[in-house]
């Protein structure tokens, strides 16, 4: 079982700081750098840019210090015999800096760990164990994804939030122009970046989000097809039924009447 020893979010040191552990931390130490820094691992000096993270092994001699002020970072220390096996299974590189794909996701994860630790409770230990495992899995998953070009990588967190909003509120009628303005990009550059991030065009995701919500309502409510269409953001029933039949392969009524209607998530090819 993994356990959290200590945790900190966006610690700022106006005059800089040097952390020196010649015998290692005695536990797994995670650091997310928000300032340019020097990291020395087993005597090897590395320059780490803002937005990189590293997990130091319990016995790894290491030192890190600022190369610019103020120095800011997120961090946590954790223990657990299973951590080494988990990192090995996931292929996460221990003691090596890794460029973050989604900085917001990392900081949110650290905030959540700190919140759980502060709140306590009967199940806090088990929750922390699951959160730590999930956190490391997300790091490894992002590490193994195709690297994003530097030109667009800084927008990734904003695009993730935007995509979540599409799936959380598929009924809202919006345009690509409005979505692009939310991240202060032109329509064409926004569409290009969206597909580069997620592998699908934004319009494809908007349709998929609406149809997934429609499937949920058809399975779990007694709403009419017309009411479902309206709640999913469609202006008229005909458009909704045509699009539903095209991508789900059956009509809304047949989908509702089927004994086992769930055929997995909507797959839209372009």
């Amino acid at each position: 079982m993994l356990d959290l020893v200590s945790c900190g979010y966006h610690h700022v040191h106006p005059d800089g700081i040097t952390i020196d552990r010649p015998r290692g931390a005695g536990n797994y130490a995670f650091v997310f750098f928000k300032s340019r820094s020097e990291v020395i691992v087993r005597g090897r000096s590395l320059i780490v840019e803002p937005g990189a993270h590293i997990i130091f092994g319990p016995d790894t001699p290491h030192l890190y210090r600022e190369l610019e002020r103020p120095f800011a970072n997120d961090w946590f220390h954790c223990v657990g015999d299973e951590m080494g096996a988990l990192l090995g299974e996931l292929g996460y590189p221990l003691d090596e800096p890794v460029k973050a794909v989604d900085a917001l996701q990392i900081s949110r994860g650290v905030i959540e760990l700190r919140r759980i630790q502060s709140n306590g409770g009967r199940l806090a230990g088990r929750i922390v164990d699951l959160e730590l495992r999930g956190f490391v899995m997300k790091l490894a998953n992002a590490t193994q994804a195709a690297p994003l070009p530097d030109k667009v990588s800084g927008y990734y967190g904003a695009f993730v939030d935007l995509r979540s909003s599409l799936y959380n509120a598929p009924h809202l009628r919006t345009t690509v122009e409005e979505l692009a303005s939310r991240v202060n990009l032109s329509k064409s550059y926004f569409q290009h970046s969206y597909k580069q991030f997620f592998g699908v065009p934004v319009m494809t995701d908007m349709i998929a989000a609406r149809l997934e919500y429609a499937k949920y309502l058809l399975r779990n409510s007694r709403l009419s097809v017309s009411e479902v269409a309206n709640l999913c953001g469609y202006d008229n029933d005909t458009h909704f039924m045509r699009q539903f039949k095209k991508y789900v392969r059956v009509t809304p009524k047949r989908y509702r009447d089927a004994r086992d209607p769930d055929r997995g998530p909507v797959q839209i090819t372009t």
Side-chain angles (χ1 to χ4, degrees):
M1 189 169 183
L2 307 183
D3 193 18
L4 191 64
V5 178
S6 56
C7 183
Y9 165 71
H10 198 64
H11 275 207
V12 179
H13 304 271
D15 298 323
I17 190 173
T18 297
I19 300 296
D20 187 6
R21 301 181 178 119
R23 295 186 179 85
N27 49 52
Y28 290 93
F30 170 82
V31 184
F32 177 47
F33 295 91
K34 298 183 175 181
S35 307
R36 194 165 187 263
S37 307
E38 180 187 21
V39 175
I40 301 175
V41 184
R42 301 185 188 276
R44 181 169 61 110
S45 177
L46 304 167
I47 304 302
V48 176
E49 300 296 335
H53 52 81
I54 186 169
I55 298 180
F56 297 106
D59 303 317
T60 301
H62 64 272
L63 176 152
Y64 60 86
R65 55 189 167 213
E66 85 289 343
L67 290 178
E68 62 182 15
R69 298 180 182 180
F71 173 82
N73 68 340
D74 300 343
W75 55 271
F76 66 76
H77 293 260
C78 68
V79 294
D81 294 337
E82 300 168 34
M83 178 61 91
L86 177 62
L87 292 172
E89 174 192 344
L90 297 173
Y92 183 91
L94 199 65
D95 302 325
E96 292 286 342
V98 177
K99 184 177 180 180
V101 174
D102 186 357
L104 289 176
Q105 181 187 71
I106 292 174
S107 290
R108 287 170 183 162
V110 174
I111 290 172
E112 182 64 11
L113 284 169
R114 189 175 68 174
R115 186 189 67 79
I116 295 167
Q117 187 183 51
S118 299
N119 289 350
R122 180 173 60 88
L123 300 175
R126 292 172 63 183
I127 296 171
V128 165
D129 174 64
L130 293 172
E131 287 288 335
L132 283 169
R133 292 175 187 274
F135 185 92
V136 174
M137 287 180 184
K138 290 174 184 177
L139 290 181
N141 190 56
T143 300
Q144 294 162 7
L148 298 170
D150 290 338
K151 187 176 181 181
V152 298
S153 62
Y155 290 105
Y156 185 73
F159 271 72
V160 169
D161 287 342
L162 186 145
R163 192 188 198 199
S164 295
S165 72
L166 292 180
Y167 277 85
N168 290 335
H171 61 285
L172 295 180
R173 294 176 173 87
T174 187
T175 65
V176 175
E177 288 85 357
E178 290 170 342
L179 294 174
S181 69
R182 286 167 56 178
V183 288
N184 298 313
L185 294 175
S186 68
K187 178 183 175 180
S188 60
Y189 190 64
F190 169 79
Q191 290 175 303
H192 173 76
S193 299
Y194 195 99
K195 186 169 183 179
Q196 194 166 20
F197 286 140
F198 306 121
V200 294
V202 62
M203 287 302 300
T204 297
D205 252 359
M206 293 170 71
I207 294 171
R210 287 181 173 185
L211 295 182
E212 284 298 333
Y213 188 42
K215 288 167 61 179
Y216 173 81
L217 293 175
L218 289 167
R219 286 198 309 267
N220 297 283
S221 78
R222 297 184 179 181
L223 295 169
S224 68
V225 171
S226 178
E227 289 171 321
V228 169
N230 184 63
L231 287 174
C232 293
Y234 287 90
D235 293 324
N236 60 74
D237 303 356
T238 303
H239 183 206
F240 167 64
M241 289 188 287
R242 186 183 299 119
Q243 205 165 70
F244 194 95
K245 175 68 180 299
K246 179 179 180 180
Y247 295 116
V248 187
R249 307 294 185 184
V250 294
T251 65
K253 185 178 185 305
R254 283 184 177 274
Y255 181 85
R256 167 173 272 166
D257 293 342
R259 288 187 176 183
D260 184 17
D262 194 354
R263 303 182 180 188
V266 174
Q267 299 292 331
I268 300 176
T269 58
T270 57

